[in-house]
Amino acid sequence: MIVFVIAMQKEIAPILDKAEISYDEIIFDKRVIKGKLFNKDFGAVICGVGKVNAACGAQYAIDIMGADCIVNLGVAGGLNNGLEIAGVYAVSHAVQYDFDLTQLNGTKIGTLDEFKENYLPLTVNSRYPAKRVATGDRFNDSPADYELLTKTLNADVRDMECAAIAQTCAHAGVKFRAYKIISDLAGSGSTTEQYLKNLEKCAHTLENELENLVKEIYL
């Protein structure tokens, strides 16, 4: 089964508007849904914001729902001029930028203790441009974080869930796809103000692109 693991209700709303829902329950304080989307069986876990919530939601999807592919959709922040507000981008690689064993292991920042590279690869064969995502439990306009994300990690996008799901799926041997819709751009004013201003526009993009995304995911 393909299971969407998505942080917030507002991010999954365009999917649920199109879906035929046959199961909808709160399990461990997370909303769990099953049904059909464009005549395809699907599941969904609305996991909550942040890496731990994302990993818990992904593990539930794998262990309890029998997911053989997890898909993460959501809004995210753009880090360079190669991205557009409300643009859709496929994720090719993801890293946890707030994970740091450099002093202990001498590894690059973001390298998990059980891996040799800091970026984990995702499944990608997409009509959408592929980008690298950096994940951390922070939402801010920190110049230090921006320097780390762009100069050290060469990330294109930042979010709060993707790389944690990538880690969970890598250990479980489950295929993982992710798509990000850009709600704000670094260097274009307050991230918070942009995010709030552009959420509705991002939702319209997902609504318009959803059938194309589903066709791609179910190939």
Side-chain angles (χ1 to χ4, degrees):
M1 173 184 280
I2 290 178
V3 180
F4 293 87
V5 177
I6 296 177
M8 298 183 290
Q9 176 67 36
K10 66 185 79 173
E11 292 176 304
I12 200 173
I15 293 175
L16 301 185
D17 287 345
K18 302 281 187 180
E20 300 172 26
I21 298 172
S22 57
Y23 176 91
D24 190 345
E25 298 288 344
I26 302 297
I27 310 292
F28 305 131
D29 290 327
K30 302 188 189 304
R31 188 178 176 190
V32 177
I33 296 162
K34 295 179 184 178
K36 287 188 176 293
L37 184 62
F38 299 111
N39 295 316
K40 303 288 187 181
D41 291 329
F42 85 103
V45 180
I46 305 174
C47 63
V49 174
K51 295 197 302 181
V52 173
N53 277 325
C56 289
Q59 199 66 59
Y60 183 90
I62 293 165
D63 288 346
I64 307 301
M65 302 177 77
D68 50 30
C69 176
I70 287 180
V71 179
N72 174 236
L73 295 174
V75 297
L79 295 170
N80 56 55
N81 293 331
L83 300 108
E84 297 180 357
I85 292 293
V88 181
Y89 300 91
V91 180
S92 62
H93 297 80
V95 64
Q96 296 178 47
Y97 71 88
D98 57 358
F99 189 95
D100 188 358
L101 288 179
T102 301
Q103 183 172 313
L104 181 64
N105 289 347
T107 49
K108 295 177 182 178
I109 193 163
T111 306
L112 304 166
D113 197 38
E114 64 273 32
F115 291 92
K116 294 181 179 180
E117 301 292 335
N118 57 356
Y119 272 97
L120 300 181
L122 278 68
T123 300
V124 179
N125 55 322
S126 181
R127 66 194 296 268
Y128 303 98
K131 301 296 179 182
R132 290 152 62 99
V133 168
T135 297
D137 281 327
R138 297 199 285 268
F139 186 104
N140 61 32
D141 288 312
S142 162
D145 275 0
Y146 179 74
E147 184 81 7
L148 168 64
L149 291 163
T150 58
K151 304 300 183 185
T152 302
L153 292 171
N154 296 312
D156 302 297
V157 178
R158 69 183 293 181
D159 84 334
M160 298 182 70
E161 291 84 30
C162 185
I165 301 173
Q167 180 182 1
T168 304
C169 290
H171 284 302
V174 169
K175 187 163 75 171
F176 177 42
R177 290 178 176 270
Y179 300 87
K180 297 296 169 179
I181 303 172
I182 302 303
S183 60
D184 51 271
L185 288 172
S188 299
S190 165
T191 296
T192 301
E193 291 177 4
Q194 291 184 73
Y195 169 81
L196 294 172
K197 175 184 176 182
N198 294 319
L199 271 179
E200 186 174 350
K201 188 174 183 179
C202 291
H204 285 316
T205 295
L206 179 55
E207 182 179 358
N208 292 336
E209 290 293 329
L210 186 57
E211 189 166 7
N212 288 329
L213 283 166
V214 168
K215 287 178 182 176
E216 181 168 295
I217 290 162
Y218 282 83
L219 280 176

